[in-house]
Amino acid sequence: MASALPIDLAGTACLLDGRRALYWHAAQTLVLADVHLGKGEAFRRQGVAIPSGHTQADCDAIAALLDDYRPQRLVVCGDLFHDRIRGDEGWLGALQALCHRHRQLAFDVVLGNHDRKSAALPDLGMHWHAELVLPPFVFHHEPQSDPRGYVLAGHQHPVLRLRGMGDALRLPVFWQRAEQAVLPAFGSFTGGMAVEAGAGERLYALSESSITPLAAGTGAALSKGASRCVF
Amino acid sequence: MVQRLLSTHAIDDFFDARQWQILPFQRAAWQAYADGESMLIHAATGQGKTLAAWLGPLAEASDAQEPLRVLWLTPMRALAADTQAQLQAAADALQIPWQVGLRTGDSSSSQRSRQRKRLPQALVTTPESASLLLSYGDLLPQWRGLRAIVVDEWHELLGSKRGVQTELVMARLRQLAPELRTIGLSATLGNVEQAARVLVGPSGRVRRIGGEAKAPPVIESLLPDTVERFPWAGHMGLSNVEAVAQRLQQAGSSLVFTNTRAQAERWHDALRERLPAHPLALHHASLDRAARSAAEQGIRDGSLRTVVATSSLDLGVDFAPVELVVQIGGPKGVARLLQRAGRSGHAPGRGSHILCVPTHALELAEFAAARDAIASGTLEKREPLRNCLDVLAQHVCTLALSGRVRAEEILEHARATHAFAELDAARWQWVMDYVQRGGAALQAYPQYRKVQQDADGVLRIADATIARRHRMAIGTITADAHMQVAWMSGGRIGQVEERFIAGLQPGDSFLFGGRALTLVRVRDMTAYVRAGRSRRLVPRWAGGRMPLSSTLADALLTGYAQADAGAASGPEMDALAPLLTLQRDWSALPGRDHLLVEQVRSREGTHWFVFPFAGRHAHEALAALVGWRLSQQTPVTATLTANDYGFEVLASELPTLTEPLLRQLMTAEGLHGDLLAAINGTELAKRHFREIARVAGLVFEGYPGRGKSTRQVQASSGLIFDVLSRYDPENLLMHQAQEEVVRQQLDLDRARQVLEPLPHQAVVLATPPRLTPLAFPLWAERISSRVSSEDVATRVARMVASLEQAADRRRRRALRKAG
């Protein structure tokens, strides 16, 4: 069983899953961000030889989460697709099958900057939103403050670099801030942006086997000076 | 009938007018060329190799209407302009109406399109630009009149992927112009015969022409007043600034060579502070061309007394010899020290002289060993590379751009090179599949298209965007991603590695190009700076650090063995005596007939130090091997560190090291397989893949000024490595990355030479009370990799705990201060 950790967001009980997902109990809603389906195809079209497979794997990972949590609703905070959809993508079938199997599921996607490349988005039963308000939360793609509620967003692909005791790791993080939280990128073919927690913020370093909460100051206690701490 | 414009008289007059003498090897080269032969001319710097190569083709000149006759390849862009001026000047003086053109990545686009219409009679260019020229189909007829290809500094290209690229370019040109003669120019090296054969390929004929024998240089070491008992590898030898400054003041002109760019920056800064009125400049490969040219010109015209330089000045930048050459730090190789020494004192009756300055005490032994090796005439070899599929894939795409070549033609000339002489049908098929379909035929990548084959077998790249991107990316020089450094007010200063800039915040200051700079902002792969104050931070450039050559290591171990027997002599070993005594009292001296191993416990955990003296790369391999084999027996996260003398395995808990355990961990059995498994567990293969990914067209750097044009296809090579290892593990580029790591980065052959004799060798296992003089530099180095058989959670927990402890200590200190 993958790692999971209960956390409280805007006074609401949630469960953080080490597979880069967030589950909101009361609304039975699973939240993901930055899946970037079809990124390999986009590269191949440009003459860069990336093998196929990661999009299928990401679809399978979504399916596994849906099987585990059996949510009523799935929200993706933007960038479900990496590039304009042309209709000949091999994985569209897999996504279609997934949507068909879970057709009772409300599937809401906030438009991300990558999704906007498609003039017409494929009709697989999901609902597209510029933003989505489900109190106490407001779902955006790009992190921002919103007076209507606590913002859940993606876009930044936050990761943490940990160093110390002669060891080093780079892990995706869930970044909990005062008025918003940034989800890690879900897609397996995505890069990341190193972040540090500010005062009063928290980072949760995620791996399949563990979730490690880091208070402000600890993560910042250096990616830079860790080697000094060893001696 | 071709009318010869050049008579023997004209050549004699040309030399006489300059008060030069024609040397026998120059005559031999001209004769060989006239006889239609290819050749490798090997001679020390400053003997006139350029004229030996140039006058042969010039002697066959007929008029100013001729097509391209000579293609002159030089490894460094910085040298190209110099060479062009030199060749043109000689042609003009001899009244040959030839145009010598220049074409490098720095050439303007108007210059380039003029050249494409009509090439000059001679063209000076780099291997990358030459490769690019082969991508233009309309140039094809112009190559057919080519008579000579000259490869300058062949010893620099040999042993690198740029050398492989050069081999492919030459082979293609021979296909187009079958009468083509090849002239290689090289410094002295240990495998001249092989270097000559690689130049022309396995079926080519080649002559070797050697320069004049020279008297060995005087090698003098700067002996510190007191030898520090604990040599610190991280430090730059700056305690010797005073002594060096005095010698520089006495000498008329001088060059100060360092091993790294960071060292050059530091020494330049320290010397300028110590000698404010002394005309002094800095020269290294990351500086802007204008700054480098100014330093070269200053040495030439005497306006500068001293230039602090890295290996950027090792290559044939041409200037009169200086009076004194200073080498900062261990030379790492015998040939390199010899070449640097050769920069001084060509005046008749005066040999060359080099002053060697240690950055830590043990380097004194290296200087003594280098002197011994030079005396016995032992020099290093440069091993040519083979079967670099990334370079071949790039070459295929480049030729496909011309739209005039069939696959069979490419295979034919590729197999005529040393690099691909043994390319088998399966690997060739894989390369063709890769460029056409992305991967092996059975798992063709959907939507992928780069190279397409016509019905008549001609290869093409139809997509204009892909074609343009490939042309931009041609080249195998593949250091880390670089960022331009430029003033806010305009004007470039040079380049630094992206990783260094990424670690800075706007407002941070650093020392670069001899100036303190403050970072203002980063945009489009350019770091904008203004003048700053702090000189504390110096960028560290990866790469360029040669491992200790086996030639020098052998001489070094011989020196230690003599010291152990009380038979060492010479100023260096005498100065080292107190340190060697301490080493022997606490542990033992290294030697040729035994392996020295030390086990020490400290606050950090248990350290194993092993000293095979096989060079940094082989030690990285052995450290990875020992760490990995250990991790198979017990869950452990070990830090591995290597330097030229040995390696360290450090972990919070290590089993007690016994001789049987050590012999078990260091058995030669299963070396190759275990090493492959070991590097998969570290980031090494991944890091090395960056280079292959770039050559093979899998990643693109941003380009200054067109930062966004390639962004939609940018992904880090690490990410691509992960995707490939999961979804196409049979991809031959992955295999190549592993093999290159094992062969080059890790020097498998030298590692094997350590392990194979070990069963018949004594192991001296010492448990010194604390770090010994030999172990200390390793401990201080900390350029380490890791091997781990623990899960992520355990590792995260331990790192977080250590960070929290450190934070607590800081808080307590802050409280104490406040109280």
Side-chain angles (χ1 to χ4, degrees):
Chain A
M1 179 63 195
S3 55
L5 183 78
I7 61 169
D8 185 277
L9 293 173
T12 311
C14 295
L15 191 68
L16 195 53
D17 189 294
R19 294 170 288 182
R20 315 181 194 195
L22 182 75
Y23 186 65
W24 170 14
H25 287 292
Q28 296 180 40
T29 295
L30 186 70
V31 188
L32 313 173
D34 298 285
V35 189
H36 289 270
L37 297 175
K39 188 170 173 184
E41 273 85 350
F43 273 59
R44 291 198 290 278
R45 283 201 177 93
Q46 298 280 336
V48 183
I50 300 292
S52 41
H54 75 89
T55 294
Q56 180 66 52
D58 289 342
C59 288
D60 293 347
I62 296 176
L65 281 165
L66 294 179
D67 287 344
D68 285 357
Y69 287 96
R70 309 213 161 267
Q72 303 266 314
R73 185 191 294 273
L74 172 66
V75 179
V76 175
C77 297
D79 289 355
L80 176 64
F81 302 129
H82 182 76
D83 197 10
R84 184 159 67 86
I85 300 296
R86 286 151 223 249
D88 63 343
E89 285 81 358
W91 48 267
L92 267 182
L95 185 65
Q96 220 157 11
L98 181 75
C99 292
H100 184 74
R101 193 152 67 87
H102 295 273
R103 54 189 175 278
Q104 308 305 328
L105 181 78
F107 189 176
D108 292 298
V109 190
V110 176
L111 266 172
N113 49 317
H114 280 269
D115 300 314
R116 284 181 219 278
K117 292 177 185 168
S118 293
L121 289 155
D123 183 16
L124 298 170
M126 69 270 281
H127 303 284
W128 294 88
H129 311 269
E131 60 200 34
L132 178 64
V133 186
L134 297 171
F137 296 118
V138 187
F139 298 87
H140 279 286
H141 178 54
E142 298 187 22
Q144 56 199 270
S145 292
D146 191 315
R148 291 170 292 179
Y150 189 86
V151 171
L152 292 177
H155 187 60
Q156 289 178 326
H157 302 201
V159 298
L160 175 73
R161 291 210 188 102
L162 263 180
R163 268 203 255 165
M165 299 301 282
D167 202 357
L169 277 172
R170 186 184 154 95
L171 293 170
V173 289
F174 181 82
W175 186 9
Q176 185 183 354
R177 316 187 65 179
E179 294 172 354
Q180 53 186 288
V182 186
L183 278 90
F186 182 79
S188 52
F189 186 28
T190 55
M193 181 184 90
V195 297
E196 286 180 10
E201 302 180 352
R202 253 170 194 284
L203 293 179
Y204 297 87
L206 308 181
S207 77
E208 292 244 343
S209 62
S210 75
I211 297 183
T212 313
L214 297 154
T218 315
L222 289 177
S223 355
K224 283 177 200 158
S227 56
R228 263 178 279 151
C229 306
V230 175
F231 305 114
Chain B
M1 172 77 199
V2 176
Q3 195 200 339
R4 304 263 183 252
L5 295 182
L6 193 58
S7 69
T8 323
H9 283 303
I11 295 180
D12 288 343
D13 293 348
F14 175 78
F15 274 77
D16 285 347
R18 286 157 186 78
Q19 295 181 317
W20 294 340
Q21 248 196 324
I22 299 178
L23 298 173
F25 84 90
Q26 291 174 316
R27 283 194 198 282
W30 302 333
Q31 188 57 51
Y33 185 83
D35 295 343
E37 292 188 77
S38 290
M39 70 199 87
L40 177 70
I41 305 173
H42 53 101
T45 318
Q47 289 200 3
K49 279 182 296 212
T50 304
L51 288 176
W54 182 225
L55 297 199
L58 268 193
E60 291 184 356
S62 56
D63 56 54
Q65 309 310 315
E66 285 183 89
L68 179 75
R69 293 299 190 200
V70 182
L71 188 68
W72 190 291
L73 300 183
T74 179
M76 273 178 76
R77 258 198 257 177
L79 298 181
D82 258 7
T83 306
Q84 184 251 346
Q86 211 184 339
L87 300 183
Q88 185 71 67
D92 293 350
L94 289 161
Q95 296 181 321
I96 306 287
W98 272 14
Q99 276 282 313
V100 183
L102 175 67
R103 189 189 179 100
T104 68
D106 296 335
S107 306
S108 70
S109 58
S110 64
Q111 224 174 344
R112 288 187 213 190
S113 53
R114 238 193 343 269
Q115 280 173 351
R116 269 182 62 191
K117 286 199 197 88
R118 189 168 149 57
L119 292 169
Q121 285 75 41
L123 186 65
V124 178
T125 186
T126 59
E128 291 76 20
S129 289
S131 181
L132 187 57
L133 284 170
L134 293 179
S135 76
Y136 296 110
D138 53 356
L139 277 181
L140 218 59
Q142 298 203 50
W143 297 116
R144 301 200 191 275
L146 192 66
R147 287 182 182 151
I149 180 159
V150 181
V151 187
D152 209 346
E153 311 281 357
W154 176 231
H155 62 282
E156 275 299 323
L157 292 169
L158 192 70
S160 75
K161 287 192 181 170
R162 302 183 72 204
V164 175
Q165 186 180 38
T166 307
E167 287 177 52
L168 286 169
V169 167
M170 291 192 292
R172 170 62 175 158
L173 289 173
R174 281 183 203 118
Q175 201 170 37
L176 296 171
E179 295 302 305
L180 189 65
R181 283 158 279 182
T182 310
I183 306 176
L185 305 180
S186 155
T188 327
L189 73 172
N191 53 335
V192 174
E193 197 189 322
Q194 188 181 31
R197 270 190 285 113
V198 176
L199 186 68
V200 295
S203 60
R205 283 169 43 85
V206 63
R207 267 188 67 178
R208 279 179 285 139
I209 296 176
E212 307 298 296
K214 287 178 65 181
V218 175
I219 298 174
E220 177 197 351
S221 295
L222 186 77
L223 300 176
D225 298 335
T226 54
V227 166
E228 290 155 335
R229 294 209 299 187
F230 293 102
W232 174 280
H235 100 54
M236 306 233 172
L238 288 167
S239 54
N240 296 311
V241 163
E242 182 57 39
V244 170
Q246 283 175 16
R247 295 291 294 269
L248 296 181
Q249 276 181 303
Q250 290 159 16
S253 59
S254 52
L255 289 176
V256 178
F257 281 109
T258 64
N259 289 340
T260 66
R261 280 164 277 190
Q263 233 173 5
E265 290 275 356
R266 277 277 181 249
W267 268 84
H268 173 262
D269 200 45
L271 285 172
R272 203 173 50 177
E273 192 175 311
R274 172 63 188 74
L275 303 171
H278 189 93
L280 177 73
L282 180 64
H283 191 288
H284 63 66
S286 294
L287 292 180
D288 193 53
R289 197 174 119 196
R292 276 181 282 147
S293 310
E296 291 159 19
Q297 194 52 37
I299 271 281
R300 247 178 241 131
D301 63 23
S303 60
L304 286 173
R305 288 269 299 277
T306 300
V307 172
V308 182
T310 60
S311 51
S312 60
L313 266 190
D314 280 344
L315 295 187
V317 182
D318 215 58
F319 49 82
V322 296
E323 208 176 302
L324 176 70
V325 173
V326 180
Q327 160 71 33
I328 309 287
K332 302 299 168 202
V334 182
R336 178 144 95 165
L337 190 70
L338 195 60
Q339 196 180 9
R340 289 183 169 181
R343 284 290 189 187
S344 69
H346 292 295
R350 289 222 320 255
S352 38
H353 188 123
I354 189 162
L355 176 70
C356 298
V357 181
T359 60
H360 66 74
L362 289 169
E363 282 175 348
L364 286 172
E366 280 184 43
F367 298 140
R371 187 193 296 122
D372 292 345
I374 288 173
S376 66
T378 328
L379 290 183
E380 287 86 6
K381 296 177 183 176
R382 300 259 180 146
E383 292 292 340
L385 304 182
R386 309 201 80 164
N387 294 318
C388 306
L389 298 188
D390 52 344
V391 182
L392 185 58
Q394 188 192 66
H395 183 69
V396 171
C397 292
T398 302
L399 292 189
L401 283 171
S402 74
R404 303 279 186 93
V405 68
R406 298 156 183 276
E408 310 87 71
E409 277 176 85
I410 301 180
L411 178 60
E412 183 191 291
H413 75 251
R415 282 200 175 138
T417 65
H418 173 267
F420 300 105
E422 285 161 18
L423 183 74
D424 55 38
R427 272 184 293 193
W428 169 248
Q429 189 54 50
W430 188 86
V431 169
M432 292 308 292
D433 284 341
Y434 172 73
V435 299
Q436 294 181 70
R437 288 178 284 275
L442 286 178
Q443 334 144 336
Y445 294 8
Q447 290 94 15
Y448 179 81
R449 66 201 149 74
K450 189 164 184 178
V451 174
Q452 287 156 318
Q453 197 161 13
D454 282 3
D456 50 356
V458 174
L459 301 177
R460 290 177 201 286
I461 292 184
D463 185 299
T465 315
I466 294 174
R468 192 170 60 242
R469 200 178 312 115
H470 182 77
R471 283 205 169 96
M472 286 199 294
I474 285 181
T476 47
I477 317 176
T478 50
D480 275 309
H482 280 99
M483 236 183 216
Q484 294 290 334
V485 181
W487 296 109
M488 280 300 283
S489 52
R492 285 187 298 176
I493 307 169
Q495 310 182 319
V496 291
E497 266 161 36
E498 195 182 346
R499 247 185 305 169
F500 173 74
I501 294 291
L504 294 179
Q505 300 288 332
D508 287 353
S509 290
F510 59 102
L511 181 65
F512 177 67
R515 282 182 263 236
L517 306 172
T518 297
L519 181 66
V520 180
R521 63 166 185 212
V522 176
R523 221 167 62 187
D524 289 351
M525 294 301 283
T526 305
Y528 291 93
V529 298
R530 54 181 164 72
R533 252 170 256 115
S534 166
R535 317 172 91 81
R536 198 173 54 82
L537 280 180
V538 180
R540 293 218 170 242
W541 289 269
R545 291 222 297 178
M546 264 173 50
L548 182 73
S549 75
S550 50
T551 310
L552 190 51
D554 269 356
L556 192 55
L557 279 181
T558 306
Y560 279 126
Q562 285 168 351
D564 207 17
S569 62
E572 290 90 0
M573 296 313 267
D574 289 348
L576 268 181
L579 190 142
L580 297 184
T581 306
L582 183 71
Q583 173 71 33
R584 191 157 39 184
D585 287 352
W586 282 359
S587 165
L589 285 184
R592 304 186 67 139
D593 54 353
H594 63 264
L595 178 67
L596 175 61
V597 183
E598 299 173 354
Q599 178 171 239
V600 187
R601 288 184 206 285
S602 80
R603 219 171 104 181
E604 290 175 79
T606 314
H607 311 247
W608 295 347
F609 294 101
V610 185
F611 299 103
F613 278 75
R616 181 185 301 275
H617 294 174
H619 292 152
E620 278 177 14
L622 293 170
L625 183 77
V626 168
W628 184 80
R629 285 177 176 170
L630 184 68
S631 74
Q632 297 306 295
Q633 300 182 357
T634 169
V636 67
T637 298
T639 303
L640 311 170
T641 308
N643 69 8
D644 280 322
Y645 302 157
F647 63 90
E648 179 199 21
V649 178
L650 163 65
S652 49
E653 290 283 336
L654 281 179
T656 300
L657 188 59
T658 58
E659 191 175 325
L661 176 60
L662 182 87
R663 288 193 182 278
Q664 184 200 341
L665 293 173
M666 289 187 72
T667 173
E669 209 174 306
L671 169 64
H672 193 265
D674 283 359
L675 201 52
L676 279 179
I679 59 173
N680 281 339
T682 70
E683 303 92 37
L684 253 180
K686 207 169 182 172
R687 246 184 281 155
H688 196 75
F689 185 69
R690 185 170 188 156
E691 175 183 304
I692 290 172
R694 198 170 316 163
V695 176
L698 287 171
V699 295
F700 299 96
E701 272 191 31
Y703 294 87
R706 31 178 131 113
K708 291 191 182 77
S709 66
T710 55
R711 189 161 294 168
Q712 69 273 29
V713 286
Q714 272 185 12
S716 75
S717 57
L719 193 52
I720 291 176
F721 184 91
D722 288 342
V723 170
L724 282 179
S725 38
R726 268 185 79 179
Y727 303 113
D728 191 5
E730 293 309 309
N731 191 302
L732 287 193
L733 293 176
M734 304 284 287
H735 286 274
Q736 192 192 333
Q738 289 178 336
E739 276 304 308
E740 281 183 11
V741 169
V742 166
R743 299 268 158 209
Q744 297 159 35
Q745 203 116 350
L746 297 178
D747 206 342
L748 179 74
D749 292 337
R750 277 179 87 183
R752 195 188 296 284
Q753 284 160 23
V754 171
L755 299 185
E756 275 175 352
L758 199 58
H760 319 290
Q761 259 181 343
V763 167
V764 176
L765 180 58
T767 48
R770 53 191 76 98
L771 299 181
T772 63
L774 268 181
F776 189 81
L778 260 177
W779 178 83
E781 180 123 344
R782 302 275 156 185
I783 295 175
S784 41
S785 56
R786 265 168 302 281
V787 58
S788 181
S789 51
E790 294 173 316
D791 68 4
V792 175
T794 314
R795 294 165 66 191
V796 170
R798 189 170 50 232
M799 281 191 277
V800 167
S802 96
L803 288 168
E804 274 162 2
Q805 273 171 16
D808 280 350
R809 280 199 296 275
R810 264 200 308 280
R811 260 197 300 281
R812 280 199 299 274
R813 268 201 304 276
L815 279 175
R816 271 203 303 277
K817 251 189 203 161

